[in-house]
Amino acid sequence: MPDDVLEILFTEDEIRGRVRELARQVTADYAGRRLVLVSILRGSVFFATDLARQIELPLAMDFLSISSYGEDSEGVVRITKDLEENIAGKDVLVIEDIVDTGFTLKYLLRTLGGRNPKSLEVCTLLDRRARRIIDIDLKYIGFEIPDKFVVGYGLDYRQRYRNLPYIGVVKPA
Ligand code: IMP
Ligand code: MG
């Protein structure tokens, strides 16, 4: 463990177990349908690929990249890499790493919703409800977390720590 990691919130085993449970729920809820998983780059990639491997349904994966302007940009979000596929008439499940204020997802759901998918739901690995500003309906939540900045399993601090197999709290630089 790098010595700037202060605390582990969820171990590799705990994450694996929770991802399996989520996949089971998704498999049951979407039985008989095909899914499009939309993974939000880059943070949700580890989660999305692990989840996809456990979902027993025909599915497609697509990726979308967004950037927010500045540090506390309050919802000014822009798509820097759009989906490859047309999602009209499809069952779409957006895969996020973490929902914090909710501004990013609000923008994203409005944009994707305008493309007329058959359904549009969210599966987030982490939910930090203490900082929520925009109320968003999250269909699947991996873990709720306290008001601490976390890294690992896809989540970064200045592009570092994404490859940690667990989710932890780092010492502020
Ligand atoms: P929101 O728009 O405030 O909900 O911000 C969500 C986005 O901020 C996430 O998709 C992450 O990219 C990033 N983010 C928020 N909190 C954390 C954190 O604790 N660690 C790493 N990234 C975070
Ligand atoms: Mg993100």
Side-chain angles (χ1 to χ4, degrees), residues 39-54:
S39 165
I40 310 306
L41 298 171
R42 290 168 254 182
S44 80
V45 164
F46 292 66
F47 176 43
T49 56
D50 283 349
L51 186 72
R53 263 178 286 223
Q54 303 282 335

Side-chain angles (χ1 to χ4, degrees), residues 27-98:
T27 302
D29 292 349
Y30 290 87
R33 291 146 80 182
R34 325 180 138 256
L35 255 186
V36 181
L37 296 188
V38 170
S39 165
I40 310 306
L41 298 171
R42 290 168 254 182
S44 80
V45 164
F46 292 66
F47 176 43
T49 56
D50 283 349
L51 186 72
R53 263 178 286 223
Q54 303 282 335
I55 295 176
E56 296 176 28
L57 295 172
L59 65 79
M61 296 190 74
D62 210 336
F63 299 87
L64 192 116
S65 188
I66 51 189
S67 81
S68 25
Y69 297 105
E71 292 282 288
D72 260 306
S73 54
E74 306 246 311
V76 188
V77 180
R78 160 175 79 93
I79 293 182
T80 54
K81 181 220 168 289
D82 207 337
L83 299 177
E84 304 287 333
E85 308 292 331
N86 183 350
I87 57 167
K90 305 273 177 68
D91 286 306
V92 176
L93 185 58
V94 173
I95 313 295
E96 249 298 26
D97 52 358
I98 180 166

Side-chain angles (χ1 to χ4, degrees), residues 96-104 128 148-150 155-156:
E96 249 298 26
D97 52 358
I98 180 166
V99 183
D100 190 41
T101 63
F103 278 116
T104 306
R128 193 193 285 115
K148 290 175 177 175
F149 191 86
V150 297
L155 291 114
D156 74 304

Side-chain angles (χ1 to χ4, degrees), residues 99-119:
V99 183
D100 190 41
T101 63
F103 278 116
T104 306
L105 260 186
K106 181 197 171 198
Y107 167 81
L108 215 69
L109 292 176
R110 184 162 24 105
T111 304
L112 296 180
R115 301 179 187 182
N116 302 313
K118 183 169 158 207
S119 68

